[in-house]
Amino acid sequence: MKPSQVNRSQSKQQKKWRDLVIGLNEKIPIADGRYMRGIYLDNAATTPPFKSVLKEIERFAPWYSSIGRGQGYKSVRSTEIIEQARSNLLNFVGGNEGSHTVIFTKNSTESINLLSHILNQVVDKRYILVSEMEHISNDLPWRNNYEVEYIAVHDDGQIKLEDLELKLSALQEQVALVSITGASNVTGCINPIYEVAELTHRYGAKIHVDAAQLIPHETIQMKRLNSAENIDYLSFTGHKLYAPFGTAVLIGETEVFNAAQPMLQGGGTAQIALRSSVQWNGAPERFEGGTPNVMGIVALNTAIRTLQQVNTEAIHEYEKQLMNYTLERLRIVEGLTLFSASNDNQPHVSVFSFTIDKLHHQDIAQVLANEFGISVRAGFFCAYSYVQKLLDLSDERIDELREDATLPSPGLVRISLSFYNTFAEINDLVEALQQIAHKAEYYTKKYENVPKGICGRPRSDG
């Protein structure tokens, strides 16, 4: 779809969407000393905040207080707001207040570590199944408590359901959990989470979905009409959902949560703690030790309320149009290779990666940022095994890179779009990449002193 084909009503709607987000018109410095309006295409790592979030934080600030332990008006009001947020979150993901509990954490990494801690106490089974495409935050937390088996993925990046069933069958009721991402943070591939849930439950295991990449783009329903498709545990974070201030959630079965001792023990986790005995609070309080991040919870709740007030189906459709337009335009860039679920017409969110012949991925990202004011991300994106598979890198090659930090590391450049991005921004991106590809030798020389090893790189989470 061409920009000229976007009708006036769509243009007006897109302007309203852009008006929801702060910082889109800020000018940033580039290498030649000029200032230009930045283009932000790194939404899979962190989204900019909603204006409504910052307004609500300012509105709530005079009433900010400790929760759960004070009798004063501010404390009672803060407590009520937190509990309202839990209810709204459950509604947002199609959960059930009678059987589900929302636990607030700092980020998705903490949520998954907490789930590993809980299940290790409650579920007496040996194995966790994760896919080859996972971010390491949905891999490393399981390794200390379980034996981890990896579900294979197809060459197009999507999970192999036949391999999942093969492993579930072979491990004979010893699988505690199947833990998969809802959508890849590298190719944008959407996993068939409800099919995975049905298959997982058929073999007596539970399912956890790391929804950090999926929930900004697609609707999730934990409770399904077909109960075999229910999602048992769900985690996601606010900073990828237009809500800064450091709050994420773990949502799961109240009965299971109440059967485990807290990971972080201290204030708020116990009803009474004597020298002779401790009586823990019920979930979620027993897992929210210390003073909670009330501001972060307010931010996340406000972001979700904002999304609930817009036409999410229209947003999803616009993102698909923008993604399709981007991928089509990029095909004119000489030497560019795409890594995208859309290559094989697979369901996908608006995330994809690429390489350009004769250019290092870090150089491409540096040039886009320094000389065109375009923010992207480069590297492995903490999905090391997945990128290794996509780039067909041998274990021996990875070992060489780890042992010699001076060797230039392979990797990808990632583009991640949001509903506030525009066709005009995509045109600017494509024009910039055409220039970069055309002057590959020049930019390689210009950025030859930028470190390009696999170790010591800037943070590449997301």
Side-chain angles (χ1 to χ4, degrees):
M1 179 176 181
K2 297 180 180 179
S4 59
Q5 294 176 306
V6 181
N7 61 41
R8 289 184 178 182
S9 63
Q10 285 179 305
S11 297
K12 289 180 180 179
Q13 183 64 74
Q14 216 272 325
K15 184 178 184 303
K16 289 181 180 179
W17 291 336
R18 282 182 68 82
D19 286 343
L20 295 174
V21 182
I22 199 166
L24 302 186
N25 296 315
E26 296 299 315
K27 291 190 175 181
I28 60 175
I30 60 175
D32 63 7
R34 291 182 297 133
Y35 280 74
M36 63 186 301
R37 184 180 64 81
I39 297 175
Y40 189 76
L41 303 176
D42 195 16
N43 296 282
T46 296
T47 55
F50 280 144
K51 292 176 182 177
S52 59
V53 168
L54 300 185
K55 288 179 181 177
E56 183 62 18
I57 288 291
E58 185 176 8
R59 190 190 70 81
F60 170 72
W63 311 105
Y64 169 72
S65 182
S66 63
I67 73 163
R69 303 171 197 127
Q71 299 303 315
Y73 175 78
K74 290 185 178 183
S75 181
V76 171
R77 182 168 177 178
S78 293
T79 302
E80 289 175 349
I81 286 173
I82 298 309
E83 296 314 311
Q84 289 170 3
R86 293 191 209 276
S87 179
N88 192 41
L89 276 159
L90 274 181
N91 178 60
F92 183 62
V93 299
N96 185 297
E97 291 195 43
S99 58
H100 287 139
T101 290
V102 176
I103 300 171
F104 290 114
T105 64
K106 295 192 299 295
N107 46 51
S108 288
T109 299
E110 183 179 31
S111 293
I112 298 171
N113 273 272
L114 177 58
L115 183 59
S116 177
H117 167 84
I118 291 170
L119 295 184
N120 185 49
Q121 299 177 64
V122 178
V123 182
D124 186 22
K125 294 183 178 181
R126 290 177 54 193
Y127 295 97
I128 298 287
L129 302 187
V130 303
S131 80
E132 290 180 328
M133 73 170 65
E134 301 304 318
H135 188 288
I136 56 173
S137 289
N138 193 29
D139 179 354
L140 300 182
W142 304 109
R143 295 188 187 184
N144 288 336
N145 294 328
Y146 294 92
E147 293 184 41
V148 178
E149 294 285 336
Y150 295 91
I151 308 160
V153 298
H154 293 283
D155 290 340
D156 60 29
Q158 195 175 57
I159 191 172
K160 283 187 177 180
L161 291 176
E162 59 272 27
D163 189 60
L164 169 61
E165 183 165 18
L166 184 66
K167 286 181 168 62
L168 286 167
S169 177
L171 295 173
Q172 289 296 318
E173 300 287 327
Q174 283 301 303
V175 177
L177 190 74
V178 173
S179 186
I180 62 167
T181 184
S184 166
N185 71 327
V186 180
T187 63
C189 174
I190 295 177
N191 275 321
I193 58 175
Y194 304 117
E195 291 181 59
V196 172
E198 191 279 329
L199 188 57
T200 298
H201 293 145
R202 192 189 310 166
Y203 286 89
K206 301 286 188 179
I207 181 173
H208 161 251
V209 174
D210 171 8
Q213 294 296 336
L214 180 63
I215 205 162
H217 305 283
E218 296 287 338
T219 301
I220 294 175
Q221 288 290 320
M222 292 187 70
K223 286 287 188 181
R224 305 276 290 173
L225 289 176
N226 177 5
S227 61
E229 297 178 343
N230 287 352
I231 304 301
D232 302 299
Y233 303 100
L234 185 75
S235 60
F236 60 91
T237 183
H239 77 91
K240 299 182 193 294
L241 204 60
Y242 312 96
F245 303 104
T247 292
V249 297
L250 171 64
I251 304 174
E253 300 169 310
T254 304
E255 183 179 0
V256 172
F257 288 168
N258 279 330
Q261 293 194 5
M263 182 170 71
L264 183 65
Q265 301 182 4
T269 62
Q271 288 186 0
I272 186 168
L274 304 175
R275 297 169 96 180
S276 57
S277 63
V278 176
Q279 183 175 349
W280 301 114
N281 277 321
E285 289 82 8
R286 69 170 60 187
F287 298 110
E288 296 176 349
T291 300
N293 180 5
V294 179
M295 291 296 195
I297 295 168
V298 169
L300 177 56
N301 187 45
T302 304
I304 287 172
R305 284 168 45 202
T306 300
L307 288 169
Q308 289 171 323
Q309 291 165 4
V310 299
N311 186 338
T312 53
E313 289 303 317
I315 283 178
H316 297 162
E317 180 60 29
Y318 175 79
E319 285 190 352
K320 289 176 183 177
Q321 292 176 3
L322 187 66
M323 176 76 164
N324 291 339
Y325 178 73
T326 304
L327 296 176
E328 183 62 31
R329 291 280 286 121
L330 284 173
R331 297 187 193 284
I332 71 173
V333 179
E334 185 177 356
L336 187 144
T337 300
L338 282 169
F339 296 83
S340 168
S342 67
N343 288 348
D344 297 280
N345 296 315
Q346 298 293 337
H348 59 87
V349 296
S350 50
V351 177
F352 65 93
S353 301
F354 67 88
T355 59
I356 296 178
D357 293 346
K358 301 178 182 178
L359 281 160
H360 193 270
H361 60 283
Q362 291 288 353
D363 287 346
I364 298 170
Q366 289 275 356
V367 175
L368 284 172
N370 295 347
E371 308 195 22
F372 296 93
I374 300 175
S375 298
V376 300
R377 188 158 293 244
F380 283 73
F381 322 116
C382 287
Y384 297 99
S385 295
Y386 193 42
V387 174
Q388 179 184 2
K389 181 181 181 70
L390 292 172
L391 292 177
D392 195 23
L393 302 173
S394 67
D395 289 342
E396 291 75 19
R397 176 59 176 155
I398 295 295
D399 288 340
E400 289 176 5
L401 295 168
R402 287 191 307 184
E403 291 169 4
D404 188 349
T406 66
L407 292 174
S409 169
L412 303 172
V413 182
R414 184 180 71 190
I415 304 294
S416 47
L417 307 172
S418 171
F419 65 87
Y420 68 80
N421 291 122
T422 67
F423 289 96
E425 289 178 328
I426 299 309
N427 289 335
D428 288 344
L429 168 69
V430 173
E431 184 177 339
L433 290 175
Q434 283 183 293
Q435 292 186 42
I436 293 169
H438 182 68
K439 300 170 65 176
E441 186 176 343
Y442 166 76
Y443 284 120
T444 298
K445 180 68 174 176
K446 184 173 181 179
Y447 288 85
E448 64 181 346
N449 293 324
V450 175
K452 297 178 177 64
I454 197 170
C455 301
R457 300 302 308 149
R459 285 176 60 89
S460 59
D461 48 333

